[in-house]
Amino acid sequence: MNEALPDLIARFRIKRGLFRKETVEARLFELDSYGCVMKTDKVFNPGDTVILDLIMDMPFENIQAEGVSGLVTERRKHCSNFFYSIDFFEFTDSGNSPVSEKLRRIRDVVNKKKSIRSRRSSGPASGMQQTA
């Protein structure tokens, strides 16, 4: 869990007073069909329910999975922030809902971007070593 997933954020709203809500954006560090790991300075407790909008930044049109419900299962402190493990309620790979399809698409794009980054970071020197 060294670096955030490329071009992917989670957006959620938290209550600030009686009539005010604040929209917060947080970076994601893991994402699979069962849940995600999010880093933010907002405080949640294990057992809290959060509703996330996952947004994948793309060149022409962003991929958005809106209204993804999750349960906070773990909280780890890191400096002034927290890492939260969030389990999704109803979405699996076998789901055929529009949100499940968008989550699957986001995971596919993230995996492709991570693959491209790892190939770039290995550089041409490592390719030369493999052929030698």
Side-chain angles (χ1 to χ4, degrees):
M1 195 173 354
N2 294 341
E3 60 185 52
L5 296 176
D7 304 320
L8 181 61
I9 61 167
R11 186 178 293 152
F12 57 94
R13 295 177 58 100
I14 58 171
K15 197 172 185 178
R16 286 277 180 219
L18 189 57
F19 297 109
R20 240 178 83 218
K21 289 190 175 185
E22 176 185 2
T23 302
V24 179
E25 290 186 355
R27 300 295 306 191
L28 292 181
F29 284 74
E30 290 180 21
L31 177 68
D32 60 23
S33 60
Y34 303 106
C36 64
V37 174
M38 168 178 79
K39 181 180 180 183
T40 182
D41 62 347
K42 304 304 176 193
V43 178
F44 296 105
N45 293 313
D48 288 350
T49 300
V50 293
I51 299 175
L52 303 173
D53 296 336
L54 301 180
I55 302 161
M56 170 60 74
D57 186 30
M58 299 294 286
F60 296 108
E61 184 178 346
N62 294 341
I63 305 171
Q64 296 185 8
E66 297 174 337
V68 179
S69 298
L71 177 71
V72 177
T73 57
E74 183 182 355
R75 175 176 67 183
R76 291 178 305 244
K77 184 148 177 72
H78 181 264
C79 298
S80 62
N81 292 307
F82 296 94
F83 283 101
Y84 294 102
S85 296
I86 300 171
D87 289 348
F88 298 145
F89 282 138
E90 55 202 58
F91 303 108
T92 61
D93 283 334
S94 62
N96 292 326
S97 72
V99 176
S100 293
E101 290 295 323
K102 288 184 179 183
L103 275 174
R104 190 175 305 120
R105 176 75 176 125
I106 287 171
R107 282 194 314 272
D108 290 344
V109 171
V110 164
N111 289 336
K112 287 177 185 175
K113 285 186 175 194
K114 285 172 45 177
S115 172
I116 289 170
R117 271 193 180 172
S118 69
R119 279 189 259 152
R120 282 187 189 164
S121 66
S122 65
S126 64
M128 293 298 287
Q129 291 173 352
Q130 289 176 354
T131 57

